[in-house]
Structures are given as structure tokens and as C-alpha cells.
Amino acid sequence: MVCLGNICRSPLAETILQRELAVHGIPATVDSCGTGNWHSGEAPDRRAMQVAQSNGIDISMLRARQLTAEDYQRFDFIFAMDRANYNDIIERAPIGTRTEHIHLFLDYAKIVSPRDVPDPYYGNIADFHRVYQLLEDASHRIIPLLRDYGAEGS
Ligand code: 4NP
């Protein structure tokens, strides 16, 4: 799960998808990072922690990190929160990287509108709640696709 700062959208996306996978008994490793490094080492944004908490998820132990070259190898999928993140991920792909496994998250989850998870950083708590709902919806819809992928891979 990749966003810009790794303190708002992607930490929420990581934990929401992790929970959804666990509910469905699908074994997977989910992680998140940012294309930028301004917040590396920091805990999630206070508002993201608050919204997660109100939905029964604790994200306070997460620490922001920047996307690395190893991430392209390590994960079966890379999901971008928005189009700008997607473009940055593609641009920085090490030579020889397969880019077919890099997707816009909402697109892969078959959510047509919006296409991007809106950046809530300069918004208010209501924007964070909206982001949470969108990520939860997308995580729910993506489960059958990830289950099929796992079944084919094993
Ligand atoms: P995120 O939100 O990409 O969802 O973590 C942002 C966090 C920080 C900044 C922008 C977006 N920033 O400009 O510092």
C-alpha cells in the first residue's frame, strides 16, 4: 500500500486490508510505505490513528518509511492510493521490474468512482472518515481477487 507520506492513507489501507484478509483466512503479508520521505520514522497522523481507533484498529505502532527498490521484488502486488503515487512508483521502478503487478488500488478493487483515494492531509476529520470508508469498501471488494491469486499461486 503506497501513498505520499505513509502517515494517512496507506497505514489505514495496510491495517484494513490485513484485517479483511484475516477474517477470510487468506495468509498474506501486507505493508505500507510512502513515495516521499518527509515523515520517515514518524507515527501515523493523529487523525488517522483516531479514525482507526474508532473502528477498532490500533495503528499507533506503525512507523512511516519510504518506498525502496527491494519493495518491487518483495511483494506480489503494489497498490497506489492515487494516480500521482502510481506514476511515481512506475517512474522509480528498478530496471527489469515487472510493472503488471503495480495497480491503482481502487481500480484493482473495481471501484469506478472515485479513482483516487483522496489525500486527507490538509482536510479535516470527516475527510479521514471518508478515506476509511473507501478503503474498507475497496478491501472488501478486493478479497475475491486476492483469494483467486493465492489459489493459482499455490
Ligand atoms: P498520505 O498523506 O500520503 O496519505 O500519508 C500525506 C501526508 C503528508 C503529506 C502529504 C500527504 N505532506 O505533504 O507532508
Side-chain angles (χ1 to χ4, degrees):
M1 299 301 202
V2 186
C3 63
L4 179 59
N6 193 209
I7 56 169
C8 301
R9 292 166 292 176
S10 62
L12 287 171
E14 172 191 340
T15 43
I16 292 168
L17 182 62
Q18 224 155 28
R19 183 168 71 174
E20 195 71 21
L21 287 162
V23 164
H24 291 85
I26 302 169
T29 301
V30 190
D31 196 8
S32 68
C33 62
T35 56
N37 68 353
W38 312 284
H39 297 279
S40 287
E42 291 179 17
D45 185 283
R46 186 169 297 281
R47 297 160 297 175
M49 291 200 278
Q50 187 185 327
V51 166
Q53 196 67 49
S54 69
N55 287 280
I57 300 179
D58 181 12
I59 62 168
S60 62
M61 80 300 287
L62 297 179
R63 293 295 176 264
R65 70 173 182 88
Q66 190 174 21
L67 177 70
T68 66
E70 291 74 46
D71 288 322
Y72 291 85
Q73 299 266 318
R74 221 183 119 207
F75 295 97
D76 292 326
F77 292 98
I78 296 180
F79 293 121
M81 294 295 108
D82 68 29
R83 177 57 53 176
N85 307 145
Y86 177 86
N87 290 339
D88 284 340
I89 296 164
I90 295 288
E91 250 170 49
R92 290 187 213 169
I95 292 166
T97 303
R98 351 175 257 122
T99 51
E100 316 89 74
H101 70 318
I102 303 170
H103 302 276
L104 207 48
F105 184 49
L106 297 185
D107 188 38
Y108 195 79
K110 301 198 191 312
I111 291 178
V112 178
S113 175
R115 285 190 82 201
D116 295 328
V117 180
D119 183 350
Y121 188 62
Y122 293 105
N124 56 33
I125 193 72
D127 298 308
F128 278 81
H129 279 290
R130 268 193 286 279
V131 163
Y132 185 95
Q133 291 308 323
L134 195 52
L135 291 172
E136 193 172 62
D137 187 20
S139 296
H140 188 68
R141 287 170 191 242
I142 214 167
I143 286 295
L145 301 162
L146 296 182
R147 184 191 276 128
D148 289 351
Y149 177 84
E152 278 164 28
S154 59

